[in-house]
Amino acid sequence: MVLKLYYDLLSQPSRSLYILLKLSKIPFEQCLVSLAKGEQLTKEFAETKSIFQKIPFIHDGDFRLNESVAIVRYLSRQYTLDDKWYPKESKKQAKADEFLEWNHSNVRLNCSTYFIVKWRNPLISGKQPSEDRIKSLTKYMEKSLTDFENIFLTNGPYILGDNLSYVDIHAACEIEQTRVAGYDARNYSPKIKNWIEHVRSECNPVYDEAHKFINKLASMHGEENKSKL
Amino acid sequence: MVLKLYYDLLSQPSRSLYILLKLSKIPFEQCLVSLAKGEQLTKEFAETKSIFQKIPFIHDGDFRLNESVAIVRYLSRQYTLDDKWYPKESKKQAKADEFLEWNHSNVRLNCSTYFIVKWRNPLISGKQPSEDRIKSLTKYMEKSLTDFENIFLTNGPYILGDNLSYVDIHAACEIEQTRVAGYDARNYSPKIKNWIEHVRSECNPVYDEAHKFINKLASMHGEENKSKL
């Protein structure tokens, strides 16, 4: 039975899993879940697909698993996931895990909060956040980006050193998201710009394919939002 | 060279690692870092101890590692950590990881934000948060506690089913923290009360030893805060 990935390319961890599965050539069935239509919010979805009512998740036969980081670790044990994507060597794996855990309360929390408050919530409510709120969220986000640069982009062109791994894809997909809300981290940090362009180039054409919708939204809303900065 | 754990028992993941190391009888050197004194914030600390400037972390010889979840996974590979604390079987390990990842943006985020805004910030600034802010934070926290109960406390007395694991200790230490700010999740949910008392009882006397300071603060501030609820 083929692995099923439930995802929407508007979601950061959905994109990172989609890119990983494509690049590692693990066969999978693409099961789209539309966040815009709220398809994940029904009772039937909770019962038949995922009680978490969030994406991404997988069905591997009868086994259901949520949370992108847990899924990548599972794939590394159950499937032929090359060591370069998620290292088997214990200390290198620990360093991959260290970033993936740190990320939750830092880059992910602060970039996704910025995206939600500045772009998603106004789209739903029609109300814009105050300038003070955006200023404060930008401060937190830039602190996380600075920490990311100072702690994790010091061992080589990639987070784990000389080679691209899933960890870079996971981080890049998160950082790309704020472009939809008019903030491009490439303009904040030349080091992040250089790193993210390396990640994109190594993952292409899959990276651009996964970011097609994000790029379209960024081009629609980016210009409009720039004037508010 | 003996494993060094840098910690402060005021910190939730510090307590969970301390309890795990004690119960699993892995020898370790106790390296206290006082959060109250801000010992982790100096430049010297960043250079000689941890660039993250957060606790807990370990030094295992020359190898430095932050992030409690990454540390537990590392210990399970490098040390004689019994399978019952962090499962080796692939699907069971995936379920442990699923909770540990989900927790970051749910129970941990919402319980620790409540603790910080209601207790820690006023201690530093002398200013109390507004009632509306506390009401809103309580709502988010209780949503996470309800999700925790409905998603993770359904397979038996413990998160992974019939047996206690590190995952329970990790969650319990997080949920205990809000008692310092006058909120006891035991009063919100009988199921959580039952589960947390099982965890405490199975881990004692180490659990109470690790929570000695938290219990003292809860008894000092709890009564005072109850009147504000």
Side-chain angles (χ1 to χ4, degrees):
Chain A
M1 203 177 285
V2 73
L3 180 77
K4 289 181 181 179
L5 174 69
Y6 291 83
Y7 69 103
D8 182 326
L9 292 175
L10 183 60
S11 125
Q12 306 90 306
S14 283
R15 290 198 298 279
S16 69
L17 277 184
Y18 178 90
I19 294 169
L20 179 72
L21 286 168
K22 286 269 179 177
L23 291 179
S24 60
K25 302 200 188 331
I26 293 174
F28 69 106
E29 188 181 326
Q30 300 182 20
C31 305
L32 288 171
V33 179
S34 169
L35 291 177
K37 291 182 191 160
E39 284 177 356
Q40 78 284 13
L41 301 175
T42 66
K43 202 180 158 209
E44 194 211 339
F45 190 96
E47 282 165 7
T48 61
K49 299 291 195 312
S50 168
I51 192 176
F52 289 71
Q53 301 192 287
K54 285 179 182 171
I55 53 161
F57 60 91
I58 57 166
H59 285 183
D60 191 16
D62 289 340
F63 187 65
R64 299 177 181 187
L65 189 63
N66 271 68
E67 292 294 330
S68 58
V69 174
I71 292 168
V72 170
R73 288 176 184 146
Y74 174 77
L75 295 175
S76 79
R77 296 188 298 271
Q78 302 281 122
Y79 285 82
T80 51
L81 188 67
D82 195 289
D83 187 55
K84 73 176 177 183
W85 297 118
Y86 183 70
K88 285 191 173 51
E89 193 279 316
S90 182
K91 288 184 180 170
K92 210 160 184 183
Q93 184 172 126
K95 284 290 154 185
D97 286 350
E98 184 180 58
F99 172 77
L100 293 169
E101 299 305 317
W102 176 88
N103 180 55
H104 283 283
S105 308
N106 293 278
V107 172
R108 172 155 181 80
L109 173 66
N110 293 312
C111 287
S112 66
T113 305
Y114 180 92
F115 165 77
I116 288 167
V117 173
K118 184 136 183 265
W119 186 80
R120 200 200 62 180
N121 289 357
L123 202 69
I124 297 168
S125 68
K127 284 181 206 160
Q128 292 297 327
S130 69
E131 277 188 34
D132 277 355
R133 178 99 166 102
I134 294 301
K135 219 171 174 175
S136 160
L137 292 176
T138 306
K139 200 182 88 185
Y140 284 115
M141 180 169 62
E142 293 186 339
K143 167 78 168 71
S144 283
L145 293 171
T146 301
D147 287 346
F148 171 63
E149 185 182 315
N150 291 340
I151 299 175
F152 296 101
L153 294 184
T154 52
N155 303 318
Y158 298 106
I159 297 174
L160 298 182
D162 289 335
N163 300 303
L164 176 81
S165 72
Y166 171 72
V167 177
D168 298 288
I169 302 171
H170 191 81
C173 288
E174 202 64 61
I175 291 173
E176 292 279 9
Q177 193 79 358
T178 58
R179 287 170 49 233
V180 175
Y183 184 95
D184 191 342
R186 290 168 178 83
N187 300 331
Y188 173 68
S189 153
K191 207 168 185 178
I192 288 176
K193 182 183 178 183
N194 186 44
W195 160 79
I196 214 167
E197 288 306 332
H198 270 85
V199 178
R200 179 179 168 230
S201 157
E202 277 227 38
C203 296
N204 258 342
V206 181
Y207 191 93
D208 282 353
E209 184 205 329
H211 284 87
K212 203 173 161 186
F213 186 48
I214 288 291
N215 289 337
K216 194 178 162 191
L217 289 174
S219 70
M220 285 164 65
H221 293 270
E223 293 309 313
E224 183 188 306
N225 283 323
K226 258 181 206 164
S227 61
K228 290 179 200 155
L229 288 173
Chain B
M1 203 178 283
V2 74
L3 179 78
K4 289 182 180 179
L5 174 69
Y6 291 84
Y7 70 101
D8 181 327
L9 292 176
L10 182 60
S11 125
Q12 305 90 307
S14 283
R15 290 198 298 278
S16 69
L17 277 183
Y18 178 90
I19 292 169
L20 179 72
L21 286 168
K22 285 269 180 178
L23 291 180
S24 60
K25 301 200 189 332
I26 294 173
F28 69 105
E29 188 181 325
Q30 300 183 19
C31 305
L32 288 171
V33 179
S34 170
L35 292 177
K37 291 183 191 159
E39 284 177 355
Q40 79 285 13
L41 301 175
T42 67
K43 202 178 158 211
E44 195 212 339
F45 190 96
E47 283 165 7
T48 62
K49 300 290 195 313
S50 167
I51 191 176
F52 288 71
Q53 301 192 288
K54 287 178 180 173
I55 54 161
F57 60 91
I58 57 167
H59 285 184
D60 191 17
D62 289 341
F63 187 65
R64 299 177 182 187
L65 189 63
N66 271 70
E67 292 294 330
S68 58
V69 174
I71 292 168
V72 170
R73 293 174 43 78
Y74 174 77
L75 294 175
S76 78
R77 296 188 299 270
Q78 303 281 123
Y79 285 81
T80 51
L81 188 67
D82 194 289
D83 187 55
K84 73 176 176 183
W85 297 117
Y86 183 70
K88 285 191 174 52
E89 193 279 316
S90 182
K91 289 185 179 169
K92 210 161 182 182
Q93 184 173 126
K95 285 289 153 186
D97 286 350
E98 185 180 58
F99 171 78
L100 293 168
E101 299 304 315
W102 176 89
N103 180 53
H104 283 283
S105 307
N106 293 277
V107 172
R108 172 153 181 82
L109 173 66
N110 293 312
C111 287
S112 67
T113 305
Y114 181 92
F115 165 77
I116 288 167
V117 172
K118 184 138 185 263
W119 187 79
R120 200 201 61 179
N121 289 357
L123 201 70
I124 297 167
S125 68
K127 284 181 206 159
Q128 292 296 327
S130 70
E131 277 187 35
D132 277 356
R133 178 98 166 103
I134 294 301
K135 219 172 175 175
S136 160
L137 292 176
T138 306
K139 200 181 87 183
Y140 284 115
M141 181 168 64
E142 293 186 339
K143 167 77 169 69
S144 284
L145 293 171
T146 301
D147 287 346
F148 171 63
E149 185 182 315
N150 291 341
I151 299 175
F152 296 102
L153 294 184
T154 52
N155 303 318
Y158 296 105
I159 297 174
L160 298 182
D162 289 334
N163 301 303
L164 176 81
S165 72
Y166 171 71
V167 177
D168 298 288
I169 301 171
H170 191 80
C173 288
E174 203 64 60
I175 291 173
E176 292 279 9
Q177 193 79 357
T178 58
R179 287 170 48 234
V180 175
Y183 183 94
D184 191 342
R186 290 168 179 84
N187 300 331
Y188 173 67
S189 153
K191 207 168 183 178
I192 288 177
K193 181 182 178 184
N194 186 43
W195 160 78
I196 214 166
E197 287 308 332
H198 270 85
V199 178
R200 179 180 168 230
S201 156
E202 278 227 38
C203 295
N204 258 344
V206 181
Y207 191 93
D208 281 353
E209 183 204 331
H211 284 88
K212 203 173 161 186
F213 186 47
I214 288 292
N215 288 337
K216 194 178 162 192
L217 289 173
S219 70
M220 285 164 67
H221 294 270
E223 293 308 316
E224 183 188 305
N225 284 323
K226 258 182 208 165
S227 60
K228 291 179 199 155
L229 290 173

